[in-house]
């Protein structure tokens, strides 16, 4: 199996606007934590969901939560809610939520019994983990 590489620093061409900006802000953080290109599709989906949430929010700001003429809910409310759910789930997969960070710390603590990690500090163990 080929060695996994860090995520590329520049955003893929198909990511536009807010998605591109989010990618370029997020990747340095993920690379510093040892995330590899095997997580690229999750990172891209996270960034695209972020853009969708921004577009839906902008439409809600312009047109309101409810269409005054019809009295019906703006369909972008549901779009926004779904995008936020996706962001939350994908962020959790990438270790960006406090709960997922605690889970990672538990894994590290549980590995304390490994002979090869015995002399490493907590930070060194985190640095050695690949996500």
């Amino acid at each position: 199996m080929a060695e996994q590489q860090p995520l590329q620093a520049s955003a893929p061409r198909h990511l536009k606007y807010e998605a591109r900006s989010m990618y370029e802000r997020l990747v340095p953080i993920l690379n510093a934590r040892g995330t590899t290109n095997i997580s690229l599709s999750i990172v891209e989906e996270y960034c695209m969901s972020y853009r969708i949430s921004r577009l839906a929010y902008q439409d809600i700001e312009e047109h309101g939560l409810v269409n005054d003429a019809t009295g019906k809910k703006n369909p972008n409310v549901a779009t926004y809610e779904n995008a936020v759910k996706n962001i939350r789930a994908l962020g959790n997969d990438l270790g960006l939520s406090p709960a997922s960070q605690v889970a990672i710390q538990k894994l590290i603590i549980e590995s304390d019994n490994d002979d090869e990690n015995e002399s490493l500090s907590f930070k060194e163990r985190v640095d050695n983990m690949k996500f």
Side-chain angles (χ1 to χ4, degrees):
M1 182 176 198
E3 182 180 333
Q4 296 299 317
Q5 301 294 318
L7 295 162
Q8 77 179 42
S10 59
R13 280 187 224 152
H14 65 275
L15 294 180
K16 305 293 183 203
Y17 311 107
E18 295 94 343
R20 175 173 286 280
S21 175
M22 176 55 72
Y23 181 96
E24 291 175 352
R25 287 193 323 254
L26 183 60
V27 164
I29 295 166
L30 295 173
N31 279 341
R33 297 165 86 188
T35 304
T36 64
N37 61 359
I38 199 165
S39 299
L40 179 60
S41 64
I42 298 171
V43 174
E44 288 178 357
E45 287 295 326
Y46 182 94
C47 296
M48 288 185 280
S49 292
Y50 176 76
R51 178 159 195 259
I52 290 167
S53 75
R54 301 309 304 153
L55 291 171
Y57 181 80
Q58 184 179 15
D59 183 78
I60 294 166
E61 286 292 305
E62 280 181 35
H63 300 103
L65 295 170
V66 176
N67 183 323
D68 292 335
T70 64
K72 292 185 178 181
K73 183 169 119 174
N74 182 336
N76 277 310
V77 171
T79 301
Y80 178 78
E81 289 170 346
N82 288 333
V84 170
K85 286 178 189 174
N86 287 341
I87 291 167
R88 191 174 297 125
L90 294 164
N92 191 49
D93 289 348
L94 291 168
L96 299 175
S97 71
S100 62
Q101 291 173 6
V102 167
I104 291 168
Q105 289 175 350
K106 284 181 181 179
L107 287 172
I108 294 167
I109 291 168
E110 289 171 2
S111 74
D112 280 348
N113 297 332
D114 293 349
D115 291 337
E116 67 184 59
N117 291 325
E118 195 169 36
S119 64
L120 299 178
S121 71
F122 183 79
K123 182 181 180 336
E124 290 170 326
R125 290 174 194 210
V126 171
D127 290 344
N128 286 339
M129 292 188 80
K130 299 291 182 201
F131 301 96

